[in-house]
Amino acid sequence: MVFFFLLPIVIFCIFMSLRTLFIPNTVKGKLVSIDNFLYLGSVYLTVIIGFGLIYLLFELIGMSLLIEVNNQNKNIFETSFYYSAMTLFSVGNGDVIPHGIGRILTVTEALIGYTLPAAFVARVVFDREKVS
């Protein structure tokens, strides 16, 4: 029951974080600044935590989406967030493998990971052109 309550909330939080890239006046006009760095970091962190929670929620209802190759680490919390970060940053060490619906979630997260930097740079450049 908690799964069906938390899953939409987590998805909503991820969506709202990504949505900020398309709202005017959220990024200042400077190309390089602490504000922009912290902004991008917070979006990345939100996506990592969000997808990590999705993997974790599925595990907690008994529907495992991730398989560890070495099977030595049984800490699903650590595995979920580690896998989320590796996928978002497109590192993919291969020590955790998605299966079932986890493959679809992985592709979605990887797509976000590839497009986030491009969207951020485009956003900063467009905002800078508006100021000039």
Side-chain angles (χ1 to χ4, degrees):
M1 181 66 181
V2 173
F3 171 80
F4 294 107
F5 175 73
L6 288 178
L7 185 62
I9 291 172
V10 170
I11 292 170
F12 176 76
C13 289
I14 292 170
F15 173 77
M16 292 305 288
S17 179
L18 294 173
R19 182 178 166 268
T20 62
L21 287 170
F22 304 101
I23 297 174
N25 300 323
T26 56
V27 177
K28 298 195 170 146
K30 296 185 219 173
L31 286 177
V32 178
S33 73
I34 300 272
D35 292 340
N36 287 347
F37 178 75
L38 292 174
Y39 170 72
L40 184 59
S42 69
V43 172
Y44 269 116
L45 191 60
T46 302
V47 174
I48 289 170
I49 291 171
F51 274 91
L53 285 172
I54 291 172
Y55 298 127
L56 181 62
L57 287 171
F58 274 99
E59 181 70 32
L60 292 175
I61 65 164
M63 190 174 169
S64 179
L65 303 181
L66 305 174
I67 300 171
E68 286 199 60
V69 173
N70 62 10
N71 278 336
Q72 291 175 355
N73 183 11
K74 297 292 184 187
N75 187 343
I76 190 61
F77 294 96
E78 179 185 316
T79 300
S80 296
F81 295 108
Y82 165 79
Y83 181 74
S84 179
M86 291 297 107
T87 300
L88 188 66
F89 295 129
S90 69
V91 174
N93 291 332
D95 55 343
V96 181
I97 302 169
H99 67 96
I101 195 172
R103 291 179 177 184
I104 295 169
L105 287 171
T106 297
V107 168
T108 303
E109 186 176 8
L111 180 63
I112 291 169
Y114 279 118
T115 57
L116 236 162
F120 180 74
V121 168
R123 173 62 187 263
V124 170
V125 169
F126 289 143
D127 284 352
R128 184 176 172 92
E129 288 175 359
K130 287 180 192 176
V131 172
S132 299

